[in-house]
């Protein structure tokens, strides 16, 4: 994970609204508009989440997304890796053998083993990945739920469900005989 981008933040925020099955199966557009973020940006995130087995897409006018696994079984690390890919935090350039005093012939002591800087970065990445693997959608949703007024999830559920109904009512009517 070279750098955790806005995509991860947006993805997790959207996934939190899928934790409650009563929110239906909102589209990526609905989830983006609910939060005031770019629908086209969010639309690029959800195929990655689907490919990783984090969400399932439902087809049709009322189609949208739902979690593919229980929220307690989806870690933040799962989401990061799905969206960003499992890239290293640090890419060591092995400059330790380029020191000018070595005259293009670095001694073994200078290049033997893993670069100390790279080793420190590997330890940091391991600690970060372990920490992210401990956090789940369920644990984050529980924190959000404690902070929000009791009426907030009900309001959001209603908003999302109205959007789903609205998509169905704006469905084009086909003339008879047209498949």
């Amino acid at each position: 994970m070279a750098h955790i981008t806005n995509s991860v933040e947006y993805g997790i925020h959207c996934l939190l609204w899928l934790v409650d099955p009563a929110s239906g199966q909102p589209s990526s557009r609905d989830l983006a508009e609910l939060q005031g973020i770019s629908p086209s940006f969010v639309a690029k995130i959800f195929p990655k989440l689907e490919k990783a087995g984090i969400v399932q897409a439902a087809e049709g006018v009322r189609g949208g997304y739902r979690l593919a696994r229980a929220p307690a079984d989806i870690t933040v690390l799962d989401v990061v890796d799905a969206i960003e890919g499992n890239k290293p935090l640090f890419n060591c350039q092995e400059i330790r053998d380029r020191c000018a005093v070595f005259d293009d012939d670095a001694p073994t002591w200078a290049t033997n083993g893993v670069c100390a800087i790279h080793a420190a970065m590997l330890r940091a990445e391991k600690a970060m990945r372990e920490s992210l693997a401990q956090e789940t959608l369920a644990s984050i949703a529980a924190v959000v739920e404690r902070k929000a007024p009791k009426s907030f999830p009900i309001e959001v559920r209603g908003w999302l469900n109205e959007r789903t109904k609205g998509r169905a009512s704006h469905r084009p009517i086909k003339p008879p005989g047209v498949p």
Side-chain angles (χ1 to χ4, degrees), residues 88-176:
L89 177 66
F90 179 76
N91 188 12
C92 185
Q93 299 299 306
E94 287 293 335
I95 64 170
R96 60 191 176 150
D97 65 352
R98 297 182 204 158
C99 181
V101 299
F102 295 156
D103 290 326
D104 294 325
D105 188 23
T108 304
W109 66 262
T111 59
N112 194 25
V114 176
C115 169
I117 295 167
H118 192 187
M121 295 299 185
L122 288 172
R123 286 190 301 273
E125 180 175 358
K126 181 177 187 265
M128 182 172 63
R129 292 182 68 79
E130 288 171 356
S131 179
L132 294 176
Q134 297 301 309
E135 293 289 338
T136 66
L137 287 182
S139 66
I140 293 172
V143 171
V144 172
E145 186 178 329
R146 282 193 303 272
K147 290 173 69 173
K150 298 282 184 211
S151 62
F152 183 64
I154 297 165
E155 291 174 44
V156 170
R157 255 184 256 133
W159 190 90
L160 289 170
N161 288 323
E162 283 301 313
R163 296 290 295 230
T164 302
K165 287 179 198 172
R167 283 196 314 267
S169 67
H170 289 96
R171 188 169 147 191
I173 298 171
K174 296 179 185 175

Side-chain angles (χ1 to χ4, degrees), residues 17-31:
W17 294 114
L18 302 181
V19 168
D20 178 8
S23 294
Q25 296 182 87
S27 69
S28 62
R29 173 174 290 283
D30 293 344
L31 291 166

